[in-house]
Amino acid sequence: MLLRGGAGSLAAYLAAHVLLCLVPAFFMAGAMAALIPKASITRWLGRTTPARVAYPAAAAAGSLLAVCSCTIVPLFAGIYKKGAGIGPAITFLFFAPAGNIMALAYTGGVLGPRFAVARLLLCLLFGIGIGLLMALLFWRDDALHDAQTEDPFAQQARVAPAALGVLLALLALLLAGTVKLWPLTATLATVELPLPGAQAWQATLLRWVPFNAAQGEEGVSVQGSVLIVLLLLIAATAWRGLENIVEGANRWTWVALGLSAATLLVAALRLTPAAHGLQIGLTGRLLAVAAALAAVVHFARQLPGDDWRAWLWEAWRFVKQIFGLLVVGVFVVGMVRQLIRPEWIESLAGANTLRANAVAVGFGVFMYFPTLVEVPVARMFLDLGMHPGPLLAYLMADPELSLQSMLMVAAVIGRAKTAAYVGWVALFSICAGALFGAWVDGAGWAPLGLALAAGLSALAVVAARLGRRQHAAAGV
């Protein structure tokens, strides 16, 4: 049963979430690493950039991306490899999944404005705080990393127009695939293919990978099964076409890239089994993805040969470094999830206690849900009896921490930094839930204000110490 749960979790994840999120993210991370001069990153997010500039900039960049804890890791790896300081990079990693505009708007619509406001303020405060603490704890490693990212164009702060076009087109592709707004979600036309076995195939898939919303099991659709096959074909062709891309492209390179584009287009369709065939819904998302892909191709053709080969190599390197750990993490989480029961919620997290908040954080790690899905799940937990305080702790931790994302982050920054990051996120999420729960339970503004003032004062001290260290490192 556990192995089946792991296999089902992995199949559902690959079918539903990798394509329109992770595929553009890997290409975007590769473009960041290969096409952006170091000075362009360090100007805003560098180790020696003043904290008053770097940390708000990192949070602002994260606020635009409606991505989950797995999708943000390649982007985090891209800016970190190119010279971002560990502190601003961690703030970006923390804030993007939980504090982005879409997550906050959806939280307000489903759970109410008080949850959205609390999530925004506490994610911003704690995201910057965790980044500052990481920068202070690992300043020696950060200085060494900064030295290792030097390149011949370190003083060049200007991104070439074609490279900027590629980056913006990839960002548009990522947003087109993830944003859940009209007209992207609208069905513009429907075509039915005569495939009478579609419904029977869907029933078979649901027997193999059941749908169970209470445990986060999403099942696999007919469309998902097609996408899994395409993803396997991409893996097979990419290994032959991208492993030695720096020496030149071959026919497998173009096959892999063509399959990647075709897969994103198929993922943007809406496929529905019907009585006499398979209905194909042409969506606004399909048009947006097609336009973004056309823009990527247009600007990529303007890049010098060495640049676009370096871009594809960096993207492939990130895939090899991160994707295997993602697969392992999703599989293990699927097995663990079989042991967790939603009815435990009321008994373990029905009151605003430290234990309840800690349980909610742990629950968020092993009951991982993709971006925005954690919000309706939180609504379900609230209806089952979870206290609003632990619920906010869950909303803070679930988008940030999952087993697969922790494994991926460790591959980028090492186990020691990852352990510190996970510890700080868990601690700050518990504190956020306890503070919000105390406010919901009627605690006066005075004790809450004192608690927040103490936290802000502590962060100010950390920022001041970090600033002195930055000045010393710069020789001021």
Side-chain angles (χ1 to χ4, degrees):
M1 180 178 177
L2 294 181
L3 291 176
R4 180 177 178 180
S9 176
L10 180 59
Y13 187 91
L14 295 177
H17 306 301
V18 168
L19 302 171
L20 286 173
C21 294
L22 271 180
V23 170
F26 278 120
F27 277 103
M28 195 170 176
M32 289 177 178
L35 304 179
I36 300 181
K38 177 185 174 181
S40 297
I41 294 291
T42 57
R43 178 182 179 185
W44 298 102
L45 304 177
R47 178 179 62 88
T48 58
T49 304
R52 66 179 182 276
V53 174
Y55 293 89
S63 68
L64 301 176
L65 300 173
V67 295
C68 62
S69 62
C70 295
T71 305
I72 199 63
V73 175
L75 305 181
F76 161 75
I79 64 171
Y80 183 66
K81 182 181 184 298
K82 204 59 184 181
I86 186 66
I90 286 293
T91 295
F92 173 76
L93 175 68
F94 179 89
F95 192 78
N100 66 77
I101 294 172
M102 285 297 299
L104 294 174
Y106 198 30
T107 300
V110 175
L111 298 174
R114 66 178 184 175
F115 276 99
V117 172
R119 196 178 188 187
L120 169 62
L121 295 178
L122 293 172
C123 278
L124 183 61
L125 176 63
F126 291 166
I128 292 175
I130 291 171
L132 288 169
L133 288 166
M134 292 289 290
L136 192 61
L137 284 172
F138 297 102
W139 67 275
R140 292 185 187 275
D141 290 348
D142 209 19
L144 179 61
H145 166 75
D146 191 37
Q148 291 173 342
T149 59
E150 293 291 348
D151 59 57
F153 307 102
Q155 301 306 316
Q156 177 187 343
R158 182 174 177 272
V159 183
L164 182 61
V166 168
L167 285 163
L168 292 177
L170 287 169
L171 177 61
L173 180 61
L174 182 61
L175 294 176
T178 55
V179 173
K180 296 176 174 62
L181 291 176
W182 186 92
L184 295 176
T185 57
T187 300
L188 307 178
T190 302
V191 178
E192 185 166 326
L193 294 180
L195 297 173
Q199 283 190 330
W201 177 235
Q202 179 63 80
T204 300
L205 290 171
L206 289 178
R207 284 198 304 271
W208 290 350
V209 186
F211 175 83
N212 186 344
Q215 287 194 328
E217 297 174 351
E218 302 165 78
V220 175
S221 64
V222 169
Q223 183 174 14
S225 66
V226 174
L227 295 176
I228 289 175
V229 172
L230 289 171
L231 192 63
L232 293 174
L233 291 174
I234 292 173
T237 55
W239 195 271
R240 296 188 175 190
L242 299 180
E243 182 65 20
N244 299 308
I245 185 65
V246 292
E247 300 175 4
N250 56 42
R251 61 179 181 177
W252 293 109
T253 305
W254 308 118
V255 172
L257 295 177
L259 283 170
S260 298
T263 303
L264 292 175
L265 293 171
V266 172
L269 295 171
R270 183 172 288 124
L271 304 185
T272 307
H276 304 291
L278 183 66
Q279 289 184 350
I280 302 178
L282 307 178
T283 64
R285 192 180 306 281
L286 174 67
L287 298 182
V289 168
L293 284 171
V296 172
V297 172
H298 171 74
F299 289 110
R301 294 179 65 181
Q302 300 176 29
L303 292 173
D306 288 344
D307 284 358
W308 68 259
R309 284 192 291 270
W311 164 33
L312 294 180
W313 163 246
E314 291 289 353
W316 177 238
R317 189 180 66 82
F318 282 130
V319 170
K320 292 192 296 181
Q321 180 185 22
I322 292 172
F323 191 74
L325 296 172
L326 170 66
V327 169
V328 172
V330 172
F331 187 88
V332 173
V333 166
M335 292 194 298
V336 173
R337 199 157 50 188
Q338 300 300 311
L339 305 176
I340 298 176
R341 297 290 176 264
E343 54 266 24
W344 298 349
I345 295 297
E346 186 174 4
S347 61
L348 293 176
N352 186 44
T353 63
L354 287 179
R355 187 192 74 164
N357 282 283
V359 167
V361 170
F363 198 75
V365 172
F366 291 105
M367 286 290 285
Y368 167 74
F369 296 96
T371 182
L372 301 183
V373 176
E374 82 275 1
V375 178
V377 171
R379 176 78 253 180
M380 177 189 72
F381 290 163
L382 191 64
D383 294 339
L384 286 171
M386 181 180 278
H387 190 280
L391 187 69
L392 184 69
Y394 163 77
L395 284 172
M396 295 280 287
D398 179 79
E400 316 298 342
L401 301 179
S402 63
L403 183 60
Q404 56 267 34
S405 70
M406 287 186 268
L407 292 172
M408 294 159 68
V409 170
V412 177
I413 61 175
R415 286 178 290 181
K417 295 186 187 71
T418 302
Y421 170 68
V422 170
W424 285 121
V425 172
L427 177 61
F428 277 62
S429 297
I430 291 170
C431 291
L435 283 172
F436 183 68
W439 178 73
V440 170
D441 287 342
W445 286 105
L448 293 177
L450 286 174
L452 287 175
L456 289 172
S457 299
L459 292 183
V461 170
V462 173
R465 290 192 61 184
L466 184 61
R468 288 195 296 271
R469 196 157 281 165
Q470 288 172 339
H471 284 296
V476 178

